[in-house]
């Protein structure tokens, strides 16, 4: 199913070098960008099992974990014992490959 997704790159992406707590007026460094494109929105749930998940919590790695994605949203990241998957979930065995979850 194609949907129209709008992405805006605005004030939060512009900053004066070295300034941690203030953002200069937008016209001093650039222009806001609006982008609208058609994208495919997946349907259903996919679980990536047997993943080694880098947690970004010190050097902790969840061995043989699961990453559950529902449509295009990550719903669960953690040990396999922490979730029950329903029969409609497509399961992909990643055989110990490493992954890292990030917020962008």
């Amino acid at each position: 199913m194609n949907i129209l997704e709008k992405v805006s790159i605005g004030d939060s992406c512009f900053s004066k070098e070295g300034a941690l707590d203030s953002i200069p007026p937008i016209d001093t460094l650039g222009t806001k960008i609006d982008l609208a494109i058609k994208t495919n929105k997946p349907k259903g749930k996919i679980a990536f099992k047997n993943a080694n998940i880098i947690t970004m919590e010190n050097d902790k790695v969840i061995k043989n974990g699961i990453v559950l994605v529902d449509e295009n949203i990550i719903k669960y990241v953690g040990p396999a014992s922490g979730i029950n998957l329903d029969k409609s979930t497509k399961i992909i065995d990643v055989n110990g490959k490493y992954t890292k979850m990030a917020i962008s």
Side-chain angles (χ1 to χ4, degrees):
M1 172 179 170
N2 285 331
I3 60 168
L4 189 63
E5 187 170 323
K6 187 174 181 179
V7 179
S8 227
I9 302 174
D11 297 347
S12 64
C13 293
F14 295 91
S15 180
K16 189 177 270 187
E17 189 174 319
L20 299 176
D21 59 349
S22 65
I23 297 174
I26 193 76
D27 62 347
T28 64
L29 291 179
T31 303
K32 286 186 182 181
I33 299 170
D34 286 324
L35 172 67
I37 57 174
K38 285 188 177 181
T39 62
N40 289 325
K41 183 175 181 181
K43 294 242 183 238
K45 294 183 234 175
I46 300 174
F48 298 92
K49 74 173 194 170
N50 294 324
N52 290 313
I53 303 166
I54 300 169
T55 66
M56 306 306 291
E57 184 179 317
N58 297 321
D59 59 354
K60 183 179 176 189
V61 174
I62 299 170
K63 301 279 186 186
N64 298 312
I66 289 182
V67 177
L68 177 64
V69 181
D70 188 354
E71 294 188 351
N72 60 350
I73 299 171
I74 298 171
K75 293 287 188 166
Y76 177 80
V77 176
S81 61
I83 189 168
N84 292 318
L85 301 174
D86 59 46
K87 292 183 183 198
S88 68
T89 303
K90 179 179 180 179
I91 298 174
I92 298 173
D93 189 338
V94 296
N95 275 333
K97 289 191 170 81
Y98 283 79
T99 186
K100 175 179 72 170
M101 300 296 103
I103 298 174
S104 60

